[in-house]
Amino acid sequence: MESNSNILPRPLRGIIPPMITPLLDRDTLDVAGLERLIEHILSGGVHGLFILGTTGEAPSLSHRLRYELIERACKQVNRRVPVLVGITDTCFAESINMANKATEAGADAVVLAPPYYFPAGQAELLEYLEHLTPELPLPLFLYNMPSLTKAVFEPQTVKAAAQIQGIAGIKDSSGNMAYFHRLQFVLQDRPDFSLLMGHEELLAEAVLLGASGSVCGGANILPKLYVDIYNATCSRDLETMEILHKRIMQISASIYGVGRYHSSYLKGLKCSLSCMGICSDFLAEPFHRFRSAEREVIRRHLEELGIIKKQS
Amino acid sequence: MESNSNILPRPLRGIIPPMITPLLDRDTLDVAGLERLIEHILSGGVHGLFILGTTGEAPSLSHRLRYELIERACKQVNRRVPVLVGITDTCFAESINMANKATEAGADAVVLAPPYYFPAGQAELLEYLEHLTPELPLPLFLYNMPSLTKAVFEPQTVKAAAQIQGIAGIKDSSGNMAYFHRLQFVLQDRPDFSLLMGHEELLAEAVLLGASGSVCGGANILPKLYVDIYNATCSRDLETMEILHKRIMQISASIYGVGRYHSSYLKGLKCSLSCMGICSDFLAEPFHRFRSAEREVIRRHLEELGIIKKQS
Amino acid sequence: MESNSNILPRPLRGIIPPMITPLLDRDTLDVAGLERLIEHILSGGVHGLFILGTTGEAPSLSHRLRYELIERACKQVNRRVPVLVGITDTCFAESINMANKATEAGADAVVLAPPYYFPAGQAELLEYLEHLTPELPLPLFLYNMPSLTKAVFEPQTVKAAAQIQGIAGIKDSSGNMAYFHRLQFVLQDRPDFSLLMGHEELLAEAVLLGASGSVCGGANILPKLYVDIYNATCSRDLETMEILHKRIMQISASIYGVGRYHSSYLKGLKCSLSCMGICSDFLAEPFHRFRSAEREVIRRHLEELGIIKKQS
Amino acid sequence: MESNSNILPRPLRGIIPPMITPLLDRDTLDVAGLERLIEHILSGGVHGLFILGTTGEAPSLSHRLRYELIERACKQVNRRVPVLVGITDTCFAESINMANKATEAGADAVVLAPPYYFPAGQAELLEYLEHLTPELPLPLFLYNMPSLTKAVFEPQTVKAAAQIQGIAGIKDSSGNMAYFHRLQFVLQDRPDFSLLMGHEELLAEAVLLGASGSVCGGANILPKLYVDIYNATCSRDLETMEILHKRIMQISASIYGVGRYHSSYLKGLKCSLSCMGICSDFLAEPFHRFRSAEREVIRRHLEELGIIKKQS
């Protein structure tokens, strides 16, 4: 079998949406919704698809359902863009199992945050990567997400990890832009190493100052918007960049700000996709979809943003 | 099949050690070590056994290995004491799968911390318990461990949860004694509800002021010590209680204080059991056993504590 | 001048209430209220008085007002019990200024938390104490309050600090009982060193297991209750101790739990004293007294607790 | 007396360095060093000077010394650029005292972070500003510094505060760029309101996307560098901007990264200025200047950066 990694650009450039996982109930995929969602996202001209990340609620899904999703998503994408699969797990062996499933299904890379129950020290994290990476059949992207994993990949750890054969890049969702610049600084002699910004509000400046791309949740709803700002930024069209940046801030302020708790972002995304007729808004436990009051607020925001038509 | 819960005392009283998981490598049980360890613990007169908790490294173990451990441990215990099985998972369905395995194997109760990737709000946590508990075939103990799960079971949430049929108690490992007293305060009309102290340094005072028992990691090494302090405290023998409390503090200061990082406690426990000839000290990723320098320090501490004989 | 420290017992034993500061407005003492409050507290048989701590809102008061309070309080107490004065400041020189004022006014000891703007490391904290203590004319109590100062006095740092001439003890308000036991453990050969529990919900067990006394805010309202539980605990009257412990938990659950934010405890204390006719409930900025709705709740709780008579 | 605020541009644009405070010992200004430092900074073409901020170690300085600094600095600057004075204090009345001193000395604005001992809620913070601002004789800049004050000015709070007469802008030192964009978003109809980036590594992108200026500590050492990147960014000279941004990252990685603890940044700044022959490197307690080993590392970094000449 030819290596999938041949088709993975180094660095991976552009917009790689972290796909939400359409669910009918807590252990059932919304298969039709999944197909519509993938087509909707790809129609925006994105450069890759990342499944089973935080936005994909991966930790809340059973292994069985994750396997099913990997298969269906890879089949639906059908190599039109690279597919990246989240394999983060608190258990080493389960991460490898997931990576093997991803390989069988035809995915192009895997993505891994630190084990998220026990917080590991930097030396422990590096050793973990040194042990894990050789057992992975696909290129690996690190995933920095300290607010949820309790462990950060320090820049010096990333620099050392970038020497490990098989580690292709890092996606940073810390929201800490100074950290991101430090990553860029320590990796400035590695133009092949992908630096992906995981915070859509920081997309423009990250790409302007050297990020290779962005993993942005809003691209589930408006894939073309994020592709457009990426292109405008790459071509140094600052005027367009600023206009689109404001639109992203508007989406963030309206769609992700409804409801309380950490789950607002996820609920807002899924609710929007449901209002747009693309897929179900069911969330895996411990979360639940918006009730009708919040859904009405989301619907109104989507109308104001011109994403759906006003109800008459 | 008769209900296992018939044999579970309400409340569950006494010392219920959180067993470490003896491993030969990252996905292989140390079967002989496991048998020796269970016999060693039970020989101390403990009142129950808790497997697959934090001390058991449950999140770092594959589901397959966890199933194997449940079966072997229940078989080895053979109903001499109640067996409690940790079913904490970020995925609802996986927790139920684990509870079903525990039931089949003959366990007596299950133990559940909040899903630990996405931090849930209190209303979300309660709803989670309302959905999960009816699907569990065994009595459920809540497990409060905010430093690792990022979510606390607030006293009012526990009070509400105690109304749910099937929830039998709570194990608190927050180390926050004021919180524990608040739990006792809001549950003072529920003498059947188990309040288990998960921090061995707080065992004496917790039991003295009303806890029904304690889940204490040191009981892997010295089960009788913890049973003795429990009994002394129950019988209001304050003099003995204080002497044994100091011994617990000494163990904590010496055995758990070697090395850096959060993993010192786990490494110290497993290293001690290995020095005592009971089982392997292999740790699951992302941790690793102590190297020879730290092992020597542990060995010396064990000698000074009179737990192993001096090497001549 | 004779040394004040002659009258300070080593260790300092018993109940040392952290007095709230009665205010008429943000820079004016409630002088009459202050006199009534001191007499009310001393009438309970307390063993000392601690002014200008966290409960005394010291950081929110001008230096001028703090000086006035020190003078008036020392004069009113008139050596009936030792007076301890908080001198915590972000500025070294201001802490010394405050200690000098305390000495002039006839206080018996000073109390110091770490500088609370810049979080210092342990080596920096120890060096700070080595520089500061020789310049203080009164014995010094350390004040561990990590939630507000962002720095903890680690047990090994306290052990080293206890060697510094002039450091007499530590008050721990971390709420971390395992930490408190570790302090006791490393200081077990120093029976003269005061270990004061700063969390009233942990008073009983701390004293039972070796604390010399307690600094408990509720003693502003009910000084005798805290003196009684201290005495019951010292004489190993566990039955009385448990009854009084429950009453403390009840006060905590009712009086300190009204309103939102961190300020509930302070607002509840001051509101209670106002309802009891002792002093004004004005709080220094950035806080404000309870409005009438919350005041009604507090009044009802005080009635239920039998602290004030029911309004007819 | 004519209003100082007449000369304060709305918004305040450009580079406003947060000046370190040159000290000879813990309560003595390095007067000659102060004069040299101010001339050094102004020679770089900066647009203002901010004294008594975090970089100025304000909380560690006595009120007396702060007053002396305000007078000397304002006299030395002599209205060549606006002077902003930090008045942050845990006590309301002391902040007003400091603002009055600043006015008398001829300063142009004051800067205020939340009271930093008791963490206030958002409603409490807004009320605090509503009470304080009318009593201030100079325009007020808010100062967002959550890591040290434990309280954040939430965007909606800033939006409401911007309606208060006298509040002229905000300096954000959170390092949270998404937060900064949210501030910009909620204040987009207030072009007169100053948005100052307090994190030099984020200067370029902040100005590019709409910040009016930046408060950057490195400008103590290299004022012209920060003025140059500001100008390049304003004129959309992206190539120059990127080159200078990399130089800023290099300074950050080398000068601020020596030593342990939070104090590395401050020690690195003061040590550099001492190596450059500008002023003393004495730090106020609880910190201390670098010892010779670290000083050698800093000296070598400064040589490599071309800031000082190689020793022959």
Side-chain angles (χ1 to χ4, degrees):
Chain A
M1 177 186 153
E2 91 256 82
S3 169
N4 287 298
S5 65
N6 289 337
I7 77 149
L8 191 76
R10 302 283 182 109
L12 180 57
R13 294 191 192 279
I15 298 301
I16 301 103
M19 194 180 75
I20 65 104
T21 303
L23 296 170
L24 290 180
D25 65 37
R26 72 171 66 107
D27 207 21
T28 311
L29 272 181
D30 172 7
V31 174
L34 172 65
E35 292 174 8
R36 277 192 301 270
L37 176 60
I38 289 175
E39 293 310 313
H40 170 68
I41 293 174
L42 293 198
S43 75
V46 302
H47 308 80
L49 190 69
F50 171 36
I51 64 173
L52 291 173
T54 299
T55 302
E57 296 175 87
S60 305
L61 306 176
S62 69
H63 287 178
R64 187 205 61 68
L65 189 142
R66 292 190 226 178
Y67 295 160
E68 184 187 346
L69 175 69
I70 295 170
E71 280 172 24
R72 290 190 185 275
C74 288
K75 196 170 161 202
Q76 184 73 25
V77 170
N78 195 21
R79 302 194 170 274
R80 285 177 283 175
V81 295
V83 174
L84 288 72
V85 176
I87 61 167
T88 306
D89 206 288
T90 51
C91 170
F92 188 98
E94 301 288 5
S95 287
I96 291 172
N97 291 344
M98 199 69 66
N100 289 332
K101 288 285 175 182
T103 311
E104 287 167 25
D108 301 281
V110 293
V111 181
L112 177 92
Y116 48 92
Y117 188 74
F118 293 116
Q122 293 301 305
E124 290 168 335
L125 275 182
L126 187 57
E127 204 171 352
Y128 178 79
L129 293 174
E130 286 165 350
H131 293 177
L132 186 75
T133 313
E135 305 202 26
L136 298 177
L138 290 175
L140 171 64
F141 289 80
L142 305 180
Y143 182 178
N144 192 50
M145 178 47 120
S147 66
L148 294 177
T149 65
K150 296 168 282 177
V152 71
F153 285 117
E154 295 288 358
Q156 290 306 322
T157 304
V158 177
K159 190 178 179 180
Q163 306 297 327
I164 300 171
Q165 174 75 19
I167 299 191
I170 184 166
K171 170 195 180 229
D172 173 38
S173 296
S174 68
N176 183 338
M177 198 69 205
Y179 165 85
F180 195 78
H181 289 322
R182 277 174 219 135
L183 285 184
Q184 292 178 299
F185 184 75
V186 300
L187 290 161
Q188 56 189 315
D189 58 344
R190 285 291 303 273
D192 61 309
F193 196 80
S194 306
L195 284 172
L196 301 173
M197 167 47 66
H199 225 287
E200 63 199 77
E201 293 153 326
L202 309 178
L203 191 169
E205 61 212 271
V207 170
L208 197 71
L209 286 160
S212 50
S214 176
V215 177
C216 35
N220 280 279
I221 306 178
L222 289 177
K224 191 167 176 304
L225 167 62
Y226 297 84
V227 171
D228 285 349
I229 193 173
Y230 174 76
N231 288 334
T233 305
C234 287
S235 59
R236 300 302 195 238
D237 173 357
L238 296 183
E239 206 177 337
T240 303
M241 182 189 94
E242 278 181 66
I243 291 166
L244 299 179
H245 172 70
K246 269 188 194 151
R247 188 154 165 83
I248 289 174
M249 290 310 299
Q250 208 169 357
I251 288 167
S252 168
S254 56
I255 303 296
Y256 307 156
V258 179
R260 304 170 295 162
Y261 305 134
H262 280 267
S263 47
S264 295
Y265 158 76
L266 264 175
K267 288 174 180 168
L269 270 187
K270 282 200 151 176
C271 183
S272 296
L273 290 165
S274 168
C275 291
M276 292 163 76
I278 292 174
C279 62
S280 160
D281 60 352
F282 190 93
L283 276 96
E285 302 263 1
F287 298 144
H288 295 281
R289 70 178 101 197
F290 279 143
R291 290 161 221 246
S292 56
E294 289 100 341
R295 187 178 172 95
E296 259 327 287
V297 178
I298 292 283
R299 176 179 289 283
R300 212 161 47 242
H301 286 318
L302 291 170
E303 288 173 0
E304 284 159 11
L305 287 160
I307 295 171
I308 61 173
K309 282 191 200 140
K310 292 223 164 129
Q311 293 181 306
S312 51
Chain B
M1 178 185 151
E2 93 256 81
S3 169
N4 288 298
S5 64
N6 289 338
I7 77 149
L8 190 77
R10 303 285 181 108
L12 180 57
R13 294 192 193 278
I15 299 300
I16 301 102
M19 193 179 75
I20 63 104
T21 302
L23 295 171
L24 290 180
D25 65 36
R26 73 171 65 105
D27 206 22
T28 311
L29 272 181
D30 171 6
V31 173
L34 172 66
E35 291 174 9
R36 278 193 300 272
L37 177 60
I38 289 175
E39 291 311 313
H40 171 68
I41 292 173
L42 293 198
S43 75
V46 302
H47 307 82
L49 189 71
F50 170 37
I51 63 173
L52 291 174
T54 299
T55 301
E57 297 174 88
S60 306
L61 306 176
S62 71
H63 287 179
R64 187 206 60 69
L65 190 143
R66 291 190 225 179
Y67 294 161
E68 184 187 346
L69 175 69
I70 296 171
E71 278 172 25
R72 290 189 185 275
C74 287
K75 197 170 160 201
Q76 183 74 22
V77 171
N78 195 21
R79 301 199 170 272
R80 287 176 284 174
V81 296
V83 174
L84 288 72
V85 176
I87 62 166
T88 307
D89 205 288
T90 51
C91 169
F92 188 97
E94 301 287 5
S95 286
I96 291 172
N97 291 344
M98 198 70 65
N100 288 333
K101 288 284 176 183
T103 310
E104 286 167 24
D108 301 281
V110 292
V111 182
L112 177 92
Y116 49 91
Y117 188 74
F118 293 115
Q122 293 301 304
E124 289 168 335
L125 275 181
L126 186 57
E127 203 171 352
Y128 179 79
L129 294 174
E130 285 166 349
H131 293 178
L132 186 76
T133 313
E135 304 201 25
L136 298 176
L138 290 175
L140 171 65
F141 289 80
L142 305 180
Y143 182 178
N144 192 49
M145 179 47 119
S147 66
L148 293 178
T149 65
K150 296 166 284 177
V152 69
F153 284 118
E154 295 288 359
Q156 290 306 322
T157 304
V158 177
K159 190 178 180 180
Q163 305 297 326
I164 299 171
Q165 174 75 21
I167 298 189
I170 183 166
K171 169 194 182 237
D172 174 37
S173 296
S174 68
N176 183 337
M177 198 68 206
Y179 166 85
F180 195 77
H181 290 321
R182 278 175 218 132
L183 284 185
Q184 291 177 298
F185 184 76
V186 300
L187 290 161
Q188 58 189 312
D189 59 344
R190 286 292 303 273
D192 61 310
F193 196 82
S194 307
L195 283 173
L196 302 172
M197 168 46 68
H199 223 287
E200 63 199 77
E201 292 154 326
L202 309 177
L203 190 168
E205 61 210 271
V207 170
L208 197 73
L209 285 161
S212 49
S214 176
V215 177
C216 35
N220 280 278
I221 306 177
L222 290 177
K224 191 167 176 305
L225 167 62
Y226 296 84
V227 171
D228 285 349
I229 194 172
Y230 174 76
N231 288 333
T233 306
C234 287
S235 61
R236 300 302 196 237
D237 174 357
L238 296 183
E239 207 176 335
T240 304
M241 181 187 95
E242 277 180 67
I243 291 166
L244 300 178
H245 172 71
K246 268 187 196 153
R247 189 156 165 80
I248 290 174
M249 291 310 299
Q250 210 169 356
I251 289 167
S252 168
S254 56
I255 303 295
Y256 307 156
V258 178
R260 303 170 292 163
Y261 306 134
H262 280 268
S263 47
S264 295
Y265 159 76
L266 264 175
K267 288 174 180 169
L269 270 186
K270 283 201 151 178
C271 183
S272 296
L273 290 166
S274 168
C275 291
M276 294 164 75
I278 293 175
C279 62
S280 159
D281 60 351
F282 190 93
L283 276 94
E285 303 263 4
F287 299 144
H288 296 282
R289 69 179 101 196
F290 278 142
R291 291 163 220 243
S292 56
E294 290 100 339
R295 187 179 172 96
E296 258 328 286
V297 178
I298 292 283
R299 176 179 290 282
R300 213 164 44 243
H301 286 319
L302 291 170
E303 288 173 0
E304 284 159 12
L305 287 160
I307 295 171
I308 62 174
K309 280 187 201 144
K310 290 224 165 131
Q311 291 181 305
S312 51
Chain C
M1 177 188 152
E2 91 257 80
S3 168
N4 288 298
S5 64
N6 288 339
I7 76 152
L8 191 77
R10 301 283 182 108
L12 179 58
R13 291 192 193 280
I15 298 300
I16 301 103
M19 193 180 75
I20 64 104
T21 303
L23 296 170
L24 290 181
D25 66 36
R26 71 169 67 106
D27 206 22
T28 311
L29 273 181
D30 172 7
V31 173
L34 173 65
E35 291 175 9
R36 278 193 301 270
L37 177 60
I38 289 175
E39 293 310 313
H40 171 68
I41 293 173
L42 293 198
S43 75
V46 301
H47 307 81
L49 189 69
F50 171 37
I51 63 173
L52 291 173
T54 299
T55 302
E57 295 174 90
S60 305
L61 305 176
S62 70
H63 287 179
R64 188 205 61 68
L65 190 142
R66 290 190 226 178
Y67 293 162
E68 184 187 345
L69 175 69
I70 295 171
E71 280 172 22
R72 290 189 185 277
C74 287
K75 199 171 160 201
Q76 184 74 25
V77 171
N78 196 21
R79 300 195 171 276
R80 285 177 284 176
V81 295
V83 175
L84 288 72
V85 176
I87 61 166
T88 307
D89 206 288
T90 50
C91 170
F92 188 98
E94 301 288 6
S95 287
I96 291 173
N97 291 345
M98 199 69 66
N100 288 332
K101 289 282 175 183
T103 311
E104 287 167 24
D108 300 282
V110 292
V111 182
L112 178 92
Y116 48 91
Y117 188 74
F118 292 116
Q122 294 302 304
E124 290 168 335
L125 275 181
L126 187 56
E127 204 171 352
Y128 178 80
L129 293 174
E130 286 166 348
H131 293 178
L132 186 75
T133 313
E135 304 201 26
L136 298 176
L138 291 174
L140 172 64
F141 288 81
L142 305 181
Y143 182 177
N144 192 48
M145 179 48 120
S147 67
L148 293 178
T149 66
K150 295 166 282 179
V152 71
F153 285 117
E154 294 288 357
Q156 289 306 323
T157 304
V158 177
K159 190 178 180 181
Q163 305 297 326
I164 300 172
Q165 173 75 20
I167 298 190
I170 184 166
K171 169 194 181 236
D172 174 36
S173 295
S174 69
N176 182 338
M177 198 69 204
Y179 165 85
F180 195 77
H181 290 321
R182 277 174 219 134
L183 284 185
Q184 292 177 300
F185 184 75
V186 298
L187 290 160
Q188 58 189 315
D189 59 346
R190 286 291 303 275
D192 61 309
F193 196 82
S194 306
L195 283 173
L196 301 173
M197 169 45 69
H199 223 288
E200 64 199 76
E201 292 152 328
L202 309 177
L203 191 169
E205 61 211 272
V207 170
L208 198 73
L209 286 162
S212 50
S214 176
V215 176
C216 35
N220 280 278
I221 306 177
L222 289 177
K224 191 167 176 304
L225 167 62
Y226 296 84
V227 171
D228 285 349
I229 193 173
Y230 173 76
N231 288 333
T233 306
C234 287
S235 60
R236 301 301 194 241
D237 175 356
L238 296 183
E239 206 177 336
T240 304
M241 182 188 94
E242 277 181 67
I243 291 166
L244 300 179
H245 172 71
K246 269 189 194 150
R247 187 155 165 82
I248 290 174
M249 291 310 299
Q250 208 169 358
I251 288 167
S252 169
S254 57
I255 303 295
Y256 308 156
V258 178
R260 303 170 294 162
Y261 305 134
H262 280 267
S263 48
S264 295
Y265 158 75
L266 264 174
K267 288 174 180 169
L269 269 187
K270 283 200 149 177
C271 183
S272 297
L273 290 165
S274 168
C275 291
M276 293 163 76
I278 292 174
C279 61
S280 159
D281 60 350
F282 190 92
L283 276 95
E285 302 263 2
F287 298 144
H288 296 281
R289 68 180 102 200
F290 278 143
R291 290 161 219 246
S292 55
E294 289 100 339
R295 187 178 171 97
E296 260 326 289
V297 178
I298 292 283
R299 175 179 291 282
R300 211 161 49 241
H301 286 319
L302 291 170
E303 287 173 0
E304 283 159 12
L305 287 159
I307 295 171
I308 61 174
K309 280 190 203 143
K310 291 226 163 127
Q311 292 182 305
S312 53
Chain D
M1 176 188 154
E2 92 257 79
S3 168
N4 287 298
S5 65
N6 288 338
I7 77 148
L8 191 78
R10 302 286 182 105
L12 179 58
R13 293 191 192 279
I15 297 302
I16 300 104
M19 194 180 74
I20 63 103
T21 302
L23 295 170
L24 290 181
D25 66 34
R26 74 170 65 105
D27 207 21
T28 311
L29 272 181
D30 173 5
V31 174
L34 173 65
E35 290 174 10
R36 278 193 300 272
L37 177 60
I38 290 176
E39 293 311 313
H40 171 68
I41 293 174
L42 293 199
S43 75
V46 301
H47 308 81
L49 190 71
F50 170 37
I51 63 172
L52 291 173
T54 299
T55 302
E57 296 175 88
S60 304
L61 306 176
S62 70
H63 285 180
R64 187 204 62 67
L65 190 142
R66 291 190 226 178
Y67 294 162
E68 184 188 344
L69 175 70
I70 295 171
E71 278 172 24
R72 289 189 186 275
C74 287
K75 197 169 158 204
Q76 184 74 24
V77 170
N78 195 22
R79 300 196 171 276
R80 285 177 283 175
V81 295
V83 174
L84 288 72
V85 176
I87 62 166
T88 306
D89 206 287
T90 51
C91 170
F92 188 98
E94 301 288 5
S95 286
I96 291 172
N97 291 344
M98 199 68 67
N100 288 332
K101 288 284 175 183
T103 310
E104 286 167 24
D108 301 282
V110 292
V111 181
L112 178 93
Y116 49 91
Y117 188 74
F118 292 116
Q122 293 302 305
E124 290 168 334
L125 274 183
L126 187 57
E127 204 171 351
Y128 178 79
L129 293 174
E130 286 165 350
H131 293 178
L132 185 77
T133 313
E135 304 201 25
L136 297 177
L138 290 175
L140 172 65
F141 288 80
L142 305 180
Y143 183 177
N144 192 50
M145 179 49 120
S147 66
L148 293 177
T149 65
K150 296 167 281 176
V152 70
F153 286 117
E154 294 287 358
Q156 290 306 322
T157 304
V158 177
K159 190 179 180 180
Q163 305 297 326
I164 300 172
Q165 174 75 20
I167 298 189
I170 184 166
K171 169 194 180 235
D172 173 38
S173 297
S174 67
N176 182 338
M177 197 69 206
Y179 166 85
F180 195 78
H181 289 320
R182 278 173 219 134
L183 284 184
Q184 292 178 299
F185 184 75
V186 299
L187 290 160
Q188 57 189 315
D189 59 344
R190 287 290 304 273
D192 61 309
F193 196 82
S194 306
L195 284 173
L196 301 173
M197 168 45 68
H199 224 288
E200 62 200 77
E201 292 153 327
L202 309 178
L203 192 168
E205 60 211 272
V207 170
L208 198 72
L209 285 162
S212 49
S214 175
V215 177
C216 35
N220 281 277
I221 306 177
L222 290 177
K224 191 166 176 303
L225 167 63
Y226 296 84
V227 171
D228 285 349
I229 193 174
Y230 173 77
N231 287 334
T233 307
C234 287
S235 60
R236 301 302 196 238
D237 174 357
L238 296 184
E239 206 177 335
T240 304
M241 181 187 96
E242 276 180 69
I243 292 167
L244 300 178
H245 171 70
K246 268 186 195 154
R247 189 155 164 82
I248 290 174
M249 291 311 298
Q250 209 169 357
I251 289 167
S252 168
S254 56
I255 303 296
Y256 307 157
V258 179
R260 304 168 294 164
Y261 305 135
H262 280 269
S263 47
S264 294
Y265 158 75
L266 264 174
K267 288 173 179 169
L269 269 188
K270 282 200 153 179
C271 183
S272 296
L273 290 166
S274 168
C275 292
M276 294 164 75
I278 292 175
C279 61
S280 159
D281 60 350
F282 190 92
L283 275 95
E285 302 262 4
F287 298 143
H288 296 282
R289 68 179 103 197
F290 277 142
R291 291 160 218 244
S292 55
E294 290 101 339
R295 186 178 173 97
E296 260 327 287
V297 178
I298 292 283
R299 176 180 290 281
R300 212 163 46 244
H301 286 319
L302 292 170
E303 288 172 1
E304 283 160 10
L305 287 160
I307 295 171
I308 61 173
K309 280 188 202 143
K310 291 222 165 133
Q311 291 180 307
S312 52

